[in-house]
Amino acid sequence: MTADLLDATFAALADPTRRAILTRLAAGEATVTELAAPFAMSQPAVSKHLRVLERAGLVTRGRDAQRRPCRLDARPLRAAVAWLADYRDYWAESYARLDEVLAELTAGDQE
């Protein structure tokens, strides 16, 4: 994944409305009208959020006669998770070192 696409993915995920839209699309495709229903915002505002998600590659729009359903494309999320996994490993190692220090301190207190 290119750095630009990773940046776009994290920028898209930074907004709670866009995260809620992705959560809804994880349950299945939906139209802009259906996606706008739970929010106190206009359909054009929801469409702007969808454009951000589309630029990040997280949403695709199809065409079904008059209907333009939106679908989740989770592939960019896999790359973001892989990038974050490096930091998960870092924190796991840090916690393991902290556990060792705490064990040494505890052993020293018991002596």
Side-chain angles (χ1 to χ4, degrees), residues 54-69:
E54 283 181 293
R55 279 194 301 272
L58 293 164
V59 169
T60 61
R61 291 195 209 195
R63 185 164 290 229
D64 183 16
Q66 299 297 323
R67 202 167 163 261
R68 297 215 36 195

Side-chain angles (χ1 to χ4, degrees), residues 1 10 26 28 35 51 53 59-60 65 87-88:
M1 169 179 262
F10 282 118
L35 292 170
R51 279 194 292 280
L53 292 167
V59 169
T60 61
Y87 292 94
R88 182 181 54 219

Side-chain angles (χ1 to χ4, degrees), residues 90-110:
Y90 167 80
W91 285 109
E93 290 171 14
S94 295
Y95 288 134
R97 287 193 305 272
L98 181 59
D99 287 341
E100 290 171 13
V101 170
L102 289 173
E104 290 173 15
L105 289 173
T106 304
D109 287 344
Q110 292 176 355

Side-chain angles (χ1 to χ4, degrees), residues 7-73:
D7 290 347
T9 299
F10 282 118
L13 294 173
D15 185 273
T17 300
R18 291 192 286 267
R19 291 192 305 270
I21 290 170
L22 291 177
T23 299
R24 166 54 187 87
L25 290 175
E29 67 181 35
T31 63
V32 175
T33 302
E34 293 166 339
L35 292 170
F39 301 107
M41 64 178 67
S42 65
Q43 286 183 5
V46 171
S47 290
K48 286 182 182 182
H49 284 292
L50 285 169
R51 279 194 292 280
V52 172
L53 292 167
E54 283 181 293
R55 279 194 301 272
L58 293 164
V59 169
T60 61
R61 291 195 209 195
R63 185 164 290 229
D64 183 16
Q66 299 297 323
R67 202 167 163 261
R68 297 215 36 195
C70 300
R71 293 177 188 88
L72 173 67
D73 184 349

